[in-house]
Amino acid sequence: MDVYKQFSQIAKEKAAKPAFIFKEEVITFAQALEKVNQIGHALERLGLKQGEKLAIWLPNCPEYIMAYLAAFGLGATVIPIDIMATKDEAIKILNHAKASILITDNETAKIKKETPSIKHIMSNLEKLTIDDKTELRGMGNEEDVALIIYTSGTTGQQKGVMLTYKNLEFPVKTLGYFGLKDFKTILCAIPFSHEAGSLHTLFQATMGSTIVIIERFIPGRCLKYIEKYQVELIFAPPAILEALLKVTEKEIISLKSLKYVCPFGAPCHPRVFQAFMKKFPHINVITGYGLTESTAPNIILPLDAPMEIRVKKGILGKPAPWVKVKIVDDRGNELPPGEIGEVLLKGPFVMKGYYNEPQLTKEVIKDGWLCTGDLGYLDEEGYLYIAGRKKEVIITGGLTVYANEVEFVISEHPKVKEVAVISTPDKLRGELIKAIITLKEPCSPQEILSYCRQKLASYKLPRVIEFRPKLPKTSSGKIKKSELI
């Protein structure tokens, strides 16, 4: 997909329409295209060309997407870096990816000194003045790498996921297949460094969507912008649903333009989902499934699915026609409907591989099938359900427990705000179930345990319960379990 060419065409068609609204300032499509071309020619003069790597380490701002588009206009590869990353984390990514140019507003002395591949560092793109505003050439080959997105590393090390220009066709194509298209105005409340963040670039390039940008998710600010700019779609962490559930009856009026909410990055509890749909029947919650490695989303819960289907525990949806799904056991044998095993995906949306990690790539992509590491099952109607992560299976006393199942039960306790379930070593049982919990109001371990006994078999009960003021998270809202062990 030639994202730049698509954007250029739509920018000419919608020249006067707002492309970005940021800090209540409007940038039209005509102005945005002009700026994209300026940035592109500036990067070209610094040596960025087809196949070269541009890293972007910025907070959410219009220039972030403009830099994306400019790099795509040169057929280059973009490496987005989470703005929440420390300098050491950013340096590690830059060195691993061997980026040649970095765009950042962060302090650069240490970065330049410790990243030998970086030839140039750019900043203050909004003040960039380049006379050349002519069109860029667009992508080279559709099999070239467009993005290297470093995974959030919730359970282990970060890896650079290589997505090609061809891969970029499928997120919008999948959403369109399920009737999700032609969004006039979108509110972005997640980092552009996340794959869901880059999806906004694709929406804008293919649909001419106006993107209302906020630097981070703040419920009150989201409400204000939804009403002021008549936002139709919002991508945000799952906390967006909880936040909207707390709005007053008066504030509900401000949400009349909102048609879709897409909680992205972490599971949403059916209880919250059901309460949301009851309070806001005019708003559709888009739920689905996919990984960065599969250019998500790939599986969507159809909007016309009945409520009794939509609120089932673990349900994610049905695959688009070009998405092959199968469930396999530990030996790779395909399992029948209803049996839990690893979820495998296959299709033209699967990543090219992990950058500079051929062995890891071979372990994850086998005969074209992407081994997701997620455990789930397909029902007779073809709906996919997720039981948990393969790495989060706990074997206690020889019995199998899915961390996700225990988390769902504990999260239903009225005093629980969030919970993460992990294993802890035990000489007798091999592993014990440990629940780490944040609370809405005071609660004792005995209360949690008593509640779990009503809903879980005895071997699934948490043997260790720990309360913390907060849980570590990625910028997309996922709990970083690797930091809890």
Side-chain angles (χ1 to χ4, degrees):
M1 177 181 180
D2 196 330
V3 184
Y4 170 80
K5 289 292 185 185
Q6 295 243 17
F7 176 80
S8 176
Q9 180 179 338
I10 214 151
K12 292 168 187 172
E13 293 171 1
K14 300 179 182 290
K17 182 186 176 183
F20 303 102
I21 300 173
F22 181 58
K23 295 181 179 178
E24 307 199 18
E25 292 186 11
V26 174
I27 299 173
T28 67
F29 271 94
Q31 292 169 328
L33 177 59
E34 186 176 284
K35 192 70 176 182
V36 167
N37 290 335
Q38 284 182 307
I39 295 170
H41 288 296
L43 291 169
E44 194 171 35
R45 292 179 187 183
L46 294 177
L48 190 71
K49 54 182 185 279
Q50 184 178 337
E52 289 285 324
K53 301 187 193 76
L54 169 71
I56 306 175
W57 191 24
L58 291 172
N60 279 12
C61 60
E63 289 74 26
Y64 205 127
I65 289 185
M66 291 177 188
Y68 257 115
L69 291 164
F72 290 162
L74 299 174
T77 300
V78 176
I79 302 160
I81 299 176
D82 191 340
I83 192 59
M84 293 176 66
T86 65
K87 282 185 182 178
D88 287 346
E89 288 170 332
I91 287 167
K92 186 177 179 181
I93 289 172
L94 291 167
N95 284 331
H96 183 268
K98 297 181 174 60
S100 59
I101 299 175
L102 170 65
I103 296 177
T104 184
D105 283 339
N106 289 299
E107 296 177 17
T108 59
K110 183 179 178 183
I111 295 172
K112 185 74 171 107
K113 183 179 179 181
E114 298 186 31
T115 51
S117 67
I118 296 292
K119 299 172 185 174
H120 302 282
I121 295 178
M122 293 179 66
S123 60
N124 298 320
L125 292 189
E126 71 278 7
K127 298 178 181 178
L128 184 68
T129 54
I130 297 289
D131 293 334
D132 194 346
K133 302 170 186 175
T134 57
E135 295 275 298
L136 304 174
R137 60 179 175 273
M139 72 174 189
N141 188 303
E142 65 177 11
E143 295 302 328
D144 288 344
V145 177
L147 288 169
I148 300 178
I149 299 179
Y150 279 79
T151 58
S152 55
T154 56
T155 57
Q157 72 178 73
Q158 288 191 324
K159 301 175 287 290
V161 177
M162 295 188 290
L163 300 179
T164 66
Y165 282 92
K166 177 70 174 175
N167 291 150
L168 298 185
E169 290 181 18
F170 293 95
V172 173
K173 187 176 178 181
T174 298
L175 289 166
Y177 174 79
F178 288 98
L180 299 161
K181 54 188 175 181
D182 300 325
F183 303 120
K184 294 182 179 65
T185 307
I186 304 170
L187 177 65
C188 182
I190 54 177
F192 288 141
S193 56
H194 189 275
E195 197 222 335
S198 67
L199 186 57
H200 291 71
T201 310
L202 305 181
F203 280 140
Q204 192 175 60
T206 57
M207 303 178 194
S209 304
T210 298
I211 301 178
V212 181
I213 302 172
I214 57 176
E215 291 180 281
R216 60 191 179 91
F217 172 61
I218 301 173
R221 189 174 298 172
C222 286
L223 285 173
K224 174 187 171 184
Y225 284 179
I226 288 168
E227 180 179 27
K228 183 171 183 176
Y229 300 115
Q230 296 296 287
V231 171
E232 294 182 343
L233 166 69
I234 177 170
F235 278 78
I240 182 66
L241 298 187
E242 297 267 18
L244 292 178
L245 282 172
K246 296 175 183 176
V247 303
T248 65
E249 292 300 315
K250 183 179 179 181
E251 288 174 320
I252 288 176
I253 299 171
S254 69
L255 297 172
K256 63 183 179 181
S257 69
L258 194 61
K259 297 178 181 178
Y260 306 98
V261 174
C262 184
F264 212 100
C268 182
H269 197 285
R271 170 180 52 81
V272 176
F273 184 95
Q274 194 165 14
F276 188 89
M277 294 302 289
K278 184 178 180 180
K279 186 167 185 175
F280 304 105
H282 74 286
I283 302 175
N284 288 290
V285 180
I286 304 171
T287 59
Y289 175 76
L291 291 73
T292 304
E293 289 89 337
S294 63
T295 329
N298 315 109
I299 291 166
I300 300 287
L301 186 58
L303 297 179
D304 59 359
M307 183 58 73
E308 61 267 23
I309 293 289
R310 295 175 72 82
V311 298
K312 281 187 176 181
K313 186 175 78 171
I315 192 166
L316 293 174
K318 287 187 173 182
W322 46 86
V323 179
K324 294 182 180 180
V325 185
K326 69 177 179 179
I327 310 297
V328 300
D329 61 19
D330 289 339
R331 296 181 180 179
N333 300 312
E334 189 166 0
L335 296 172
E339 289 197 28
I340 294 176
E342 184 175 5
V343 180
L344 270 58
L345 302 175
K346 188 175 187 178
F349 49 84
V350 171
M351 68 171 179
K352 192 168 188 173
Y354 292 122
Y355 179 72
N356 205 25
E357 300 285 358
Q359 186 55 43
L360 277 177
T361 301
K362 287 180 183 178
E363 292 171 8
V364 171
I365 302 178
K366 300 176 181 178
D367 297 323
W369 288 94
L370 175 66
C371 303
T372 67
D374 287 322
L375 295 171
Y377 66 93
L378 292 166
D379 68 11
E380 296 287 352
E381 297 181 63
Y383 285 103
L384 175 67
Y385 296 74
I386 289 296
R389 290 287 295 167
K390 192 173 182 180
K391 290 180 180 178
E392 293 177 22
V393 170
I394 301 169
I395 308 298
T396 179
L399 298 171
T400 299
V401 179
Y402 299 107
N404 191 52
E405 181 183 5
V406 183
E407 287 170 347
F408 265 82
V409 168
I410 296 175
S411 67
E412 290 178 327
H413 192 288
K415 295 182 180 179
V416 170
K417 182 179 180 182
E418 290 182 306
V419 58
V421 169
I422 61 174
S423 67
T424 186
D426 181 70
K427 290 182 180 179
L428 181 61
R429 295 183 177 87
E431 291 180 305
L432 291 180
I433 301 168
K434 180 178 181 178
I436 303 171
I437 301 168
T438 63
L439 296 171
K440 296 177 183 176
E441 56 184 278
C443 183
S444 69
Q446 289 73 26
E447 284 183 74
I448 299 295
L449 195 56
S450 177
Y451 183 82
C452 290
R453 282 198 179 102
Q454 301 172 40
K455 298 173 178 286
L456 292 170
S458 59
Y459 72 91
K460 297 180 181 179
L461 297 174
R463 303 293 174 176
V464 181
I465 296 174
E466 179 183 323
F467 297 117
R468 294 193 187 182
K470 63 179 182 178
L471 300 178
K473 292 182 181 179
T474 69
S475 57
S476 61
K478 292 181 182 179
I479 295 172
K480 298 183 76 171
K481 289 192 175 182
S482 59
E483 294 186 7
L484 295 175
I485 298 171

